[in-house]
Amino acid sequence: MQAIDAATVHRLCAGQVIVDLATSVKELLENSLDAQATHVEVKLKDSGLTSITITDNGHGIDTSSFSTLCRKHWTSKISRFEDLEHVSTFGFRGEALSSLCSVAQVTITTATRDSAPMGTELEYNMSGELTKQTQVARERGTTVRLTQLFAKWPVRHQDLKKNIRREYLRLVSLVEQYAIISDNVRVSLINQTRTGTVTHVRTVVQSDRLTRLLSVIGASLRPHMARIEHDSTQDGDVKIDGYISQPIPEAGRSGSDKQYLSVNNRPCDVPHIKRLINETYRAYCPAKYPVFAISITLNAQTIDVNLTPDKRTILIRHEAVVLDALRKALGRVLEPEESVFSVNRVQTQIVAPSETVGGSSVQQQNVAPEHGDNAETGKRTVTVETSVPGVIRCFADDRTEPSRKRTANSVPEPNPVHSKKLKDPLAQPTVSAPRTRPTPALPTQPTASKKLQTMVIGNCRNRIQND
């Protein structure tokens, strides 16, 4: 056995940290957000094949850190392992810039508040050592430029060129996640190609989370987004906040591409949580997937984010408690609301055979008055119930007494009045009775009591309470 040389170890480890186009941008984007930038611009040329440039207006890099900036495991985020329990930054491993130097050509231009408008351009070799330092004009902030991504990794470079469209779409989705969760930060993603320049992501600094979400998924979904909230100490200090689309076809999507989940303000992948959200939503809208941006806040000591170099896979100590709290929050939002309405009753009349409706006479033979009929006029009473304007339910108030039987000349119950024929729900329209034919005698039926009827309108289940 023999020890592996330092250069080989460096390249082996770097290949696990920077695996594709999305992770290379992710590491730099997180550095900009950790630097408290309020404007971060991600600009790609030829979808990243030519160059990747990330510019921010953060606090910049101090001159004392120039030589150690790209060295492996050099960081200002933590100083010992116990600091992970309270870390609030995206990065903390000190591997990003060092790994990027191994897979691409890295150039950094930075300036602090004290040095601006004079900045410094820094160039590093594959080992992360500073090779060139030049004074340039630069406002406060940092610009990192990557070129020749995976040029010295033939297999990855070929795969990147072959699947550049797929890789770029994954990058867009990743930038969208950070744009949604970043309060008071303007995030933009620009791609410059031979055919022109396209801006795929752009958020506004002074905006709430819903506005940033709509800038990503489209403003047309604003009426269909519902707020989801849960904050209870009984569930182990679990706080849930975010938005999810209503369970209706026009608000859902055919795929799960617009789903953004973060834990402690860190975008991550938790399969059990996403599965619960999708299954709960599809129980109400089976043909669609939800659009959601949900943030879960937990005690930092109950999660472990140091599982993978990209820190997107996490472990939650009390995952069952989190799932139960999320299930309750989803139930309150997605379950159709139920309410009881007091209804207005209006009386309509069935015209006698000799009366005229709409200029034409109605022919009816052997109309025998029954319970609820007026024997003198030959008219019947039909009750029309209205619960909301424009929605009308009608039924004939036709109950047979136990002591009476239907005769061969009895009149069948008329058809209900259709709501679309009534322009005014409180009007008293005249409805013609259908033609009759002899029917055999029916056995005596006891008086049926009216039951509570239910009518579903949109996402609200309304109960029609009969008096």
Side-chain angles (χ1 to χ4, degrees), residues 150-335:
F150 297 128
K152 297 182 180 180
W153 299 63
V155 177
R156 293 195 188 184
H157 189 257
Q158 182 180 1
D159 182 74
L160 178 64
K161 293 174 62 177
K162 179 181 178 181
N163 303 300
I164 187 60
R165 177 174 175 79
R166 181 193 65 189
E167 295 295 326
Y168 181 75
L169 292 178
R170 291 181 56 189
L171 169 62
V172 172
S173 178
L174 182 138
V175 174
E176 289 174 348
Q177 295 184 39
Y178 286 92
I180 292 172
I181 67 171
S182 301
D183 298 329
N184 301 319
V185 180
R186 181 175 63 186
V187 179
S188 58
L189 172 62
I190 302 172
N191 185 24
Q192 182 180 358
T193 63
R194 296 177 181 178
T195 58
T197 302
V198 181
T199 301
H200 285 97
V201 179
R202 174 167 291 175
T203 58
V204 182
V205 177
Q206 300 296 336
S207 61
D208 56 10
R209 183 158 297 191
L210 177 59
T211 303
R212 296 195 298 271
L213 174 61
L214 294 174
S215 68
V216 170
I217 64 177
S220 60
L221 285 180
R222 178 181 288 273
H224 305 303
M225 299 303 296
R227 182 77 177 269
I228 177 172
E229 293 179 290
H230 181 85
D231 189 359
S232 175
T233 56
Q234 298 178 355
D235 295 324
D237 294 333
V238 178
K239 182 178 179 181
I240 301 173
D241 188 20
Y243 296 89
I244 187 170
S245 58
Q246 296 175 347
I248 53 179
E250 54 268 29
R253 293 179 65 87
S254 57
S256 58
D257 56 326
K258 297 297 182 181
Q259 299 182 351
Y260 310 103
L261 175 67
S262 61
V263 176
N264 287 6
N265 210 39
R266 181 188 298 275
C268 57
D269 299 322
V270 186
H272 291 170
I273 293 180
K274 283 195 173 183
R275 185 183 304 117
L276 173 63
I277 298 174
N278 285 314
E279 290 179 353
T280 305
Y281 184 90
R282 288 170 69 85
Y284 299 97
C285 187
K288 297 292 183 178
Y289 287 89
V291 175
F292 64 80
I294 296 179
S295 176
I296 301 176
T297 304
L298 305 173
N299 187 336
Q301 297 180 356
T302 63
I303 63 174
D304 187 355
V305 299
N306 190 34
L307 294 179
T308 57
D310 62 356
K311 300 174 285 294
R312 289 189 62 89
T313 302
I314 67 173
L315 282 181
I316 302 176
R317 180 184 300 175
H318 305 295
E319 188 177 85
V321 177
V322 177
L323 293 176
D324 185 63
L326 181 60
R327 189 179 292 107
K328 294 177 183 177
L330 291 171
R332 289 192 296 267
V333 174
L334 301 180
E335 177 69 24

